[in-house]
PDB file of all heavy atoms in Angstrom:
ATOM      1  N   ILE A  61     -45.993  89.876 -30.848  1.00 99.00           N
ATOM      2  CA  ILE A  61     -46.191  88.627 -31.588  1.00 99.00           C
ATOM      3  C   ILE A  61     -47.547  88.473 -32.075  1.00 99.00           C
ATOM      4  O   ILE A  61     -48.524  88.533 -31.307  1.00 99.00           O
ATOM      5  CB  ILE A  61     -45.639  87.317 -30.810  1.00 99.00           C
ATOM      6  CG1 ILE A  61     -44.185  87.593 -30.418  1.00 99.00           C
ATOM      7  CG2 ILE A  61     -46.004  86.102 -31.510  1.00 99.00           C
ATOM      8  CD1 ILE A  61     -43.602  86.498 -29.554  1.00 99.00           C
ATOM      9  N   LEU A  62     -47.783  88.259 -33.304  1.00 99.00           N
ATOM     10  CA  LEU A  62     -49.116  88.021 -33.920  1.00 99.00           C
ATOM     11  C   LEU A  62     -49.405  86.551 -33.761  1.00 99.00           C
ATOM     12  O   LEU A  62     -48.576  85.699 -34.002  1.00 99.00           O
ATOM     13  CB  LEU A  62     -49.169  88.432 -35.373  1.00 99.00           C
ATOM     14  CG  LEU A  62     -50.661  88.389 -35.996  1.00 99.00           C
ATOM     15  CD1 LEU A  62     -51.390  89.709 -35.579  1.00 99.00           C
ATOM     16  CD2 LEU A  62     -50.526  88.461 -37.509  1.00 99.00           C
ATOM     17  N   ALA A  63     -50.573  86.260 -33.175  1.00 99.00           N
ATOM     18  CA  ALA A  63     -50.976  84.809 -33.074  1.00 99.00           C
ATOM     19  C   ALA A  63     -52.425  84.715 -33.487  1.00 99.00           C
ATOM     20  O   ALA A  63     -53.310  85.105 -32.796  1.00 99.00           O
ATOM     21  CB  ALA A  63     -50.841  84.368 -31.506  1.00 99.00           C
ATOM     22  N   SER A  64     -52.646  84.104 -34.715  1.00 98.00           N
ATOM     23  CA  SER A  64     -54.007  84.217 -35.334  1.00 98.00           C
ATOM     24  C   SER A  64     -54.419  83.001 -35.988  1.00 98.00           C
ATOM     25  O   SER A  64     -53.677  82.139 -36.479  1.00 98.00           O
ATOM     26  CB  SER A  64     -53.925  85.352 -36.347  1.00 98.00           C
ATOM     27  OG  SER A  64     -54.985  85.503 -37.126  1.00 98.00           O
ATOM     28  N   ASN A  65     -55.749  82.591 -35.707  1.00 98.00           N
ATOM     29  CA  ASN A  65     -56.349  81.559 -36.347  1.00 98.00           C
ATOM     30  C   ASN A  65     -56.812  82.018 -37.716  1.00 98.00           C
ATOM     31  O   ASN A  65     -57.506  83.083 -37.807  1.00 98.00           O
ATOM     32  CB  ASN A  65     -57.705  81.063 -35.629  1.00 98.00           C
ATOM     33  CG  ASN A  65     -57.424  80.399 -34.191  1.00 98.00           C
ATOM     34  OD1 ASN A  65     -56.344  80.203 -33.882  1.00 98.00           O
ATOM     35  ND2 ASN A  65     -58.501  80.083 -33.545  1.00 98.00           N
ATOM     36  N   GLN A  66     -56.358  81.407 -38.812  1.00 98.00           N
ATOM     37  CA  GLN A  66     -56.943  81.679 -40.063  1.00 98.00           C
ATOM     38  C   GLN A  66     -57.287  80.466 -40.910  1.00 98.00           C
ATOM     39  O   GLN A  66     -56.618  79.930 -41.840  1.00 98.00           O
ATOM     40  CB  GLN A  66     -55.714  82.410 -40.865  1.00 98.00           C
ATOM     41  CG  GLN A  66     -55.339  83.768 -40.290  1.00 98.00           C
ATOM     42  CD  GLN A  66     -56.418  84.863 -40.470  1.00 98.00           C
ATOM     43  OE1 GLN A  66     -57.139  84.757 -41.305  1.00 98.00           O
ATOM     44  NE2 GLN A  66     -56.515  85.804 -39.415  1.00 98.00           N
ATOM     45  N   PRO A  67     -58.457  79.864 -40.545  1.00 98.00           N
ATOM     46  CA  PRO A  67     -58.882  78.715 -41.184  1.00 98.00           C
ATOM     47  C   PRO A  67     -59.669  78.792 -42.458  1.00 98.00           C
ATOM     48  O   PRO A  67     -60.009  77.867 -43.197  1.00 98.00           O
ATOM     49  CB  PRO A  67     -59.827  78.109 -40.187  1.00 98.00           C
ATOM     50  CG  PRO A  67     -60.473  79.258 -39.540  1.00 98.00           C
ATOM     51  CD  PRO A  67     -59.410  80.312 -39.462  1.00 98.00           C
ATOM     52  N   ASP A  68     -59.666  79.985 -43.037  1.00 98.00           N
ATOM     53  CA  ASP A  68     -60.804  80.198 -44.092  1.00 98.00           C
ATOM     54  C   ASP A  68     -60.157  79.754 -45.459  1.00 98.00           C
ATOM     55  O   ASP A  68     -61.074  79.554 -46.321  1.00 98.00           O
ATOM     56  CB  ASP A  68     -61.256  81.688 -44.005  1.00 98.00           C
ATOM     57  CG  ASP A  68     -61.997  82.063 -42.835  1.00 98.00           C
ATOM     58  OD1 ASP A  68     -62.850  81.186 -42.541  1.00 98.00           O
ATOM     59  OD2 ASP A  68     -61.843  83.157 -42.228  1.00 98.00           O
ATOM     60  N   ILE A  69     -58.911  79.641 -45.650  1.00 98.00           N
ATOM     61  CA  ILE A  69     -58.436  79.110 -47.022  1.00 98.00           C
ATOM     62  C   ILE A  69     -58.849  77.486 -46.912  1.00 98.00           C
ATOM     63  O   ILE A  69     -59.463  76.959 -47.785  1.00 98.00           O
ATOM     64  CB  ILE A  69     -56.893  79.216 -47.005  1.00 98.00           C
ATOM     65  CG1 ILE A  69     -56.521  80.702 -47.115  1.00 98.00           C
ATOM     66  CG2 ILE A  69     -56.418  78.455 -48.373  1.00 98.00           C
ATOM     67  CD1 ILE A  69     -54.964  80.886 -47.007  1.00 98.00           C
ATOM     68  N   ARG A  70     -58.575  76.901 -45.691  1.00 97.00           N
ATOM     69  CA  ARG A  70     -58.942  75.541 -45.551  1.00 97.00           C
ATOM     70  C   ARG A  70     -60.427  75.154 -45.734  1.00 97.00           C
ATOM     71  O   ARG A  70     -60.752  74.292 -46.346  1.00 97.00           O
ATOM     72  CB  ARG A  70     -58.601  75.147 -44.072  1.00 97.00           C
ATOM     73  CG  ARG A  70     -59.028  73.898 -43.495  1.00 97.00           C
ATOM     74  CD  ARG A  70     -58.027  72.781 -43.980  1.00 97.00           C
ATOM     75  NE  ARG A  70     -58.319  71.487 -43.122  1.00 97.00           N
ATOM     76  CZ  ARG A  70     -59.460  70.619 -43.402  1.00 97.00           C
ATOM     77  NH1 ARG A  70     -60.215  71.058 -44.502  1.00 97.00           N
ATOM     78  NH2 ARG A  70     -59.592  69.568 -42.723  1.00 97.00           N
ATOM     79  N   TYR A  71     -61.254  76.314 -45.293  1.00 97.00           N
ATOM     80  CA  TYR A  71     -62.777  76.025 -45.441  1.00 97.00           C
ATOM     81  C   TYR A  71     -63.203  76.457 -46.765  1.00 97.00           C
ATOM     82  O   TYR A  71     -64.407  76.501 -47.098  1.00 97.00           O
ATOM     83  CB  TYR A  71     -63.478  76.992 -44.425  1.00 97.00           C
ATOM     84  CG  TYR A  71     -63.292  76.530 -42.974  1.00 97.00           C
ATOM     85  CD1 TYR A  71     -63.464  77.450 -41.879  1.00 97.00           C
ATOM     86  CD2 TYR A  71     -62.976  75.280 -42.632  1.00 97.00           C
ATOM     87  CE1 TYR A  71     -63.151  77.088 -40.445  1.00 97.00           C
ATOM     88  CE2 TYR A  71     -62.796  74.826 -41.321  1.00 97.00           C
ATOM     89  CZ  TYR A  71     -63.000  75.790 -40.184  1.00 97.00           C
ATOM     90  OH  TYR A  71     -62.780  75.431 -38.983  1.00 97.00           O
ATOM     91  N   GLY A  72     -62.268  77.002 -47.638  1.00 98.00           N
ATOM     92  CA  GLY A  72     -62.712  77.376 -49.037  1.00 98.00           C
ATOM     93  C   GLY A  72     -63.529  78.779 -49.087  1.00 98.00           C
ATOM     94  O   GLY A  72     -64.178  78.994 -50.118  1.00 98.00           O
ATOM     95  N   LYS A  73     -63.265  79.601 -48.069  1.00 98.00           N
ATOM     96  CA  LYS A  73     -64.023  80.808 -48.080  1.00 98.00           C
ATOM     97  C   LYS A  73     -63.204  82.004 -48.740  1.00 98.00           C
ATOM     98  O   LYS A  73     -63.803  82.959 -49.090  1.00 98.00           O
ATOM     99  CB  LYS A  73     -64.396  81.249 -46.688  1.00 98.00           C
ATOM    100  CG  LYS A  73     -65.379  80.233 -46.095  1.00 98.00           C
ATOM    101  CD  LYS A  73     -65.878  80.637 -44.721  1.00 98.00           C
ATOM    102  CE  LYS A  73     -67.204  79.921 -44.382  1.00 98.00           C
ATOM    103  NZ  LYS A  73     -67.184  79.675 -42.847  1.00 98.00           N
ATOM    104  N   ILE A  74     -61.921  81.762 -48.808  1.00 98.00           N
ATOM    105  CA  ILE A  74     -61.074  82.775 -49.436  1.00 98.00           C
ATOM    106  C   ILE A  74     -59.955  82.082 -50.165  1.00 98.00           C
ATOM    107  O   ILE A  74     -59.486  80.969 -49.744  1.00 98.00           O
ATOM    108  CB  ILE A  74     -60.553  83.793 -48.324  1.00 98.00           C
ATOM    109  CG1 ILE A  74     -59.725  84.892 -49.083  1.00 98.00           C
ATOM    110  CG2 ILE A  74     -59.725  83.060 -47.418  1.00 98.00           C
ATOM    111  CD1 ILE A  74     -59.534  86.035 -48.155  1.00 98.00           C
ATOM    112  N   SER A  75     -59.501  82.667 -51.379  1.00 98.00           N
ATOM    113  CA  SER A  75     -58.394  82.096 -52.018  1.00 98.00           C
ATOM    114  C   SER A  75     -57.038  82.376 -51.370  1.00 98.00           C
ATOM    115  O   SER A  75     -57.102  83.419 -50.532  1.00 98.00           O
ATOM    116  CB  SER A  75     -58.310  82.544 -53.451  1.00 98.00           C
ATOM    117  OG  SER A  75     -57.897  84.007 -53.368  1.00 98.00           O
ATOM    118  N   LYS A  76     -56.080  81.577 -51.555  1.00 98.00           N
ATOM    119  CA  LYS A  76     -54.666  81.802 -50.817  1.00 98.00           C
ATOM    120  C   LYS A  76     -54.195  83.138 -51.302  1.00 98.00           C
ATOM    121  O   LYS A  76     -53.713  83.786 -50.588  1.00 98.00           O
ATOM    122  CB  LYS A  76     -53.829  80.654 -51.569  1.00 98.00           C
ATOM    123  CG  LYS A  76     -53.008  79.983 -50.485  1.00 98.00           C
ATOM    124  CD  LYS A  76     -52.264  78.926 -51.060  1.00 98.00           C
ATOM    125  CE  LYS A  76     -51.259  78.303 -50.064  1.00 98.00           C
ATOM    126  NZ  LYS A  76     -50.555  77.228 -50.488  1.00 98.00           N
ATOM    127  N   GLU A  77     -54.423  83.603 -52.615  1.00 98.00           N
ATOM    128  CA  GLU A  77     -53.925  84.692 -53.129  1.00 98.00           C
ATOM    129  C   GLU A  77     -54.458  85.916 -52.372  1.00 98.00           C
ATOM    130  O   GLU A  77     -53.859  86.876 -52.069  1.00 98.00           O
ATOM    131  CB  GLU A  77     -54.170  84.808 -54.666  1.00 98.00           C
ATOM    132  CG  GLU A  77     -53.269  83.904 -55.447  1.00 98.00           C
ATOM    133  CD  GLU A  77     -53.724  82.425 -55.377  1.00 98.00           C
ATOM    134  OE1 GLU A  77     -54.965  82.232 -54.990  1.00 98.00           O
ATOM    135  OE2 GLU A  77     -52.874  81.576 -55.337  1.00 98.00           O
ATOM    136  N   GLU A  78     -55.859  85.902 -52.264  1.00 98.00           N
ATOM    137  CA  GLU A  78     -56.548  87.160 -51.721  1.00 98.00           C
ATOM    138  C   GLU A  78     -56.177  87.156 -50.169  1.00 98.00           C
ATOM    139  O   GLU A  78     -56.006  88.251 -49.617  1.00 98.00           O
ATOM    140  CB  GLU A  78     -58.098  87.041 -51.956  1.00 98.00           C
ATOM    141  CG  GLU A  78     -58.376  87.240 -53.357  1.00 98.00           C
ATOM    142  CD  GLU A  78     -59.796  87.857 -53.638  1.00 98.00           C
ATOM    143  OE1 GLU A  78     -60.193  88.731 -52.909  1.00 98.00           O
ATOM    144  OE2 GLU A  78     -60.428  87.296 -54.463  1.00 98.00           O
ATOM    145  N   TRP A  79     -56.058  85.843 -49.524  1.00 98.00           N
ATOM    146  CA  TRP A  79     -55.681  85.961 -48.047  1.00 98.00           C
ATOM    147  C   TRP A  79     -54.295  86.630 -47.934  1.00 98.00           C
ATOM    148  O   TRP A  79     -54.236  87.431 -46.998  1.00 98.00           O
ATOM    149  CB  TRP A  79     -55.591  84.462 -47.677  1.00 98.00           C
ATOM    150  CG  TRP A  79     -55.386  84.365 -46.095  1.00 98.00           C
ATOM    151  CD1 TRP A  79     -56.264  84.482 -45.170  1.00 98.00           C
ATOM    152  CD2 TRP A  79     -54.142  84.458 -45.502  1.00 98.00           C
ATOM    153  NE1 TRP A  79     -55.726  84.509 -44.054  1.00 98.00           N
ATOM    154  CE2 TRP A  79     -54.277  84.488 -44.130  1.00 98.00           C
ATOM    155  CE3 TRP A  79     -52.815  84.482 -46.021  1.00 98.00           C
ATOM    156  CZ2 TRP A  79     -53.193  84.517 -43.200  1.00 98.00           C
ATOM    157  CZ3 TRP A  79     -51.695  84.489 -45.140  1.00 98.00           C
ATOM    158  CH2 TRP A  79     -51.923  84.464 -43.793  1.00 98.00           C
ATOM    159  N   GLN A  80     -53.435  86.182 -48.806  1.00 98.00           N
ATOM    160  CA  GLN A  80     -52.020  86.654 -48.638  1.00 98.00           C
ATOM    161  C   GLN A  80     -52.108  88.221 -48.900  1.00 98.00           C
ATOM    162  O   GLN A  80     -51.370  89.011 -48.255  1.00 98.00           O
ATOM    163  CB  GLN A  80     -51.133  86.116 -49.783  1.00 98.00           C
ATOM    164  CG  GLN A  80     -49.598  86.406 -49.591  1.00 98.00           C
ATOM    165  CD  GLN A  80     -49.135  85.956 -48.006  1.00 98.00           C
ATOM    166  OE1 GLN A  80     -49.350  84.738 -47.697  1.00 98.00           O
ATOM    167  NE2 GLN A  80     -48.601  86.993 -47.343  1.00 98.00           N
ATOM    168  N   TRP A  81     -52.954  88.755 -49.850  1.00 98.00           N
ATOM    169  CA  TRP A  81     -52.957  90.168 -50.193  1.00 98.00           C
ATOM    170  C   TRP A  81     -53.393  90.829 -48.871  1.00 98.00           C
ATOM    171  O   TRP A  81     -52.871  91.894 -48.438  1.00 98.00           O
ATOM    172  CB  TRP A  81     -53.919  90.465 -51.243  1.00 98.00           C
ATOM    173  CG  TRP A  81     -54.000  91.819 -51.707  1.00 98.00           C
ATOM    174  CD1 TRP A  81     -53.321  92.512 -52.687  1.00 98.00           C
ATOM    175  CD2 TRP A  81     -54.752  92.945 -51.111  1.00 98.00           C
ATOM    176  NE1 TRP A  81     -53.579  93.882 -52.784  1.00 98.00           N
ATOM    177  CE2 TRP A  81     -54.435  94.139 -51.824  1.00 98.00           C
ATOM    178  CE3 TRP A  81     -55.761  92.909 -50.167  1.00 98.00           C
ATOM    179  CZ2 TRP A  81     -55.134  95.311 -51.439  1.00 98.00           C
ATOM    180  CZ3 TRP A  81     -56.382  94.250 -49.695  1.00 98.00           C
ATOM    181  CH2 TRP A  81     -56.160  95.346 -50.343  1.00 98.00           C
ATOM    182  N   ILE A  82     -54.479  90.250 -48.231  1.00 98.00           N
ATOM    183  CA  ILE A  82     -54.932  90.961 -46.960  1.00 98.00           C
ATOM    184  C   ILE A  82     -53.845  90.915 -45.842  1.00 98.00           C
ATOM    185  O   ILE A  82     -53.624  91.970 -45.207  1.00 98.00           O
ATOM    186  CB  ILE A  82     -56.223  90.211 -46.501  1.00 98.00           C
ATOM    187  CG1 ILE A  82     -57.445  90.496 -47.519  1.00 98.00           C
ATOM    188  CG2 ILE A  82     -56.674  90.719 -45.004  1.00 98.00           C
ATOM    189  CD1 ILE A  82     -58.708  89.666 -47.314  1.00 98.00           C
ATOM    190  N   GLN A  83     -53.158  89.758 -45.731  1.00 98.00           N
ATOM    191  CA  GLN A  83     -52.116  89.666 -44.840  1.00 98.00           C
ATOM    192  C   GLN A  83     -50.975  90.709 -44.936  1.00 98.00           C
ATOM    193  O   GLN A  83     -50.386  91.185 -44.057  1.00 98.00           O
ATOM    194  CB  GLN A  83     -51.622  88.215 -44.693  1.00 98.00           C
ATOM    195  CG  GLN A  83     -50.581  87.914 -43.635  1.00 98.00           C
ATOM    196  CD  GLN A  83     -51.081  87.923 -42.154  1.00 98.00           C
ATOM    197  OE1 GLN A  83     -52.224  87.969 -41.913  1.00 98.00           O
ATOM    198  NE2 GLN A  83     -50.136  88.273 -41.353  1.00 98.00           N
ATOM    199  N   ASP A  84     -50.770  90.986 -46.271  1.00 98.00           N
ATOM    200  CA  ASP A  84     -49.655  91.854 -46.674  1.00 98.00           C
ATOM    201  C   ASP A  84     -50.057  93.418 -46.233  1.00 98.00           C
ATOM    202  O   ASP A  84     -49.247  94.154 -46.182  1.00 98.00           O
ATOM    203  CB  ASP A  84     -49.416  91.712 -48.136  1.00 98.00           C
ATOM    204  CG  ASP A  84     -48.610  90.509 -48.537  1.00 98.00           C
ATOM    205  OD1 ASP A  84     -48.202  89.933 -47.555  1.00 98.00           O
ATOM    206  OD2 ASP A  84     -48.582  90.248 -49.802  1.00 98.00           O
ATOM    207  N   GLN A  85     -51.385  93.635 -45.968  1.00 98.00           N
ATOM    208  CA  GLN A  85     -51.716  94.936 -45.552  1.00 98.00           C
ATOM    209  C   GLN A  85     -51.182  95.353 -44.121  1.00 98.00           C
ATOM    210  O   GLN A  85     -51.218  96.398 -43.817  1.00 98.00           O
ATOM    211  CB  GLN A  85     -53.243  95.111 -45.625  1.00 98.00           C
ATOM    212  CG  GLN A  85     -53.828  94.941 -46.927  1.00 98.00           C
ATOM    213  CD  GLN A  85     -53.134  95.515 -48.121  1.00 98.00           C
ATOM    214  OE1 GLN A  85     -53.092  96.651 -48.210  1.00 98.00           O
ATOM    215  NE2 GLN A  85     -52.597  94.573 -49.095  1.00 98.00           N
ATOM    216  N   ILE A  86     -50.702  94.337 -43.545  1.00 98.00           N
ATOM    217  CA  ILE A  86     -50.077  94.636 -42.144  1.00 98.00           C
ATOM    218  C   ILE A  86     -48.618  94.401 -42.164  1.00 98.00           C
ATOM    219  O   ILE A  86     -47.959  94.303 -41.110  1.00 98.00           O
ATOM    220  CB  ILE A  86     -50.784  93.889 -41.027  1.00 98.00           C
ATOM    221  CG1 ILE A  86     -50.596  92.349 -41.146  1.00 98.00           C
ATOM    222  CG2 ILE A  86     -52.242  94.230 -40.837  1.00 98.00           C
ATOM    223  CD1 ILE A  86     -51.161  91.499 -40.021  1.00 98.00           C
TER     224      ILE A  86
END
Side-chain angles (χ1 to χ4, degrees):
I61 297 175
L62 190 74
S64 178
N65 289 355
Q66 296 293 331
D68 294 320
I69 299 171
R70 169 85 169 78
Y71 293 154
K73 290 186 170 147
I74 185 168
S75 70
K76 228 174 172 175
E77 291 70 29
E78 293 207 45
W79 184 88
Q80 191 60 55
W81 186 93
I82 292 168
Q83 182 64 21
D84 285 348
Q85 303 312 300
I86 62 171

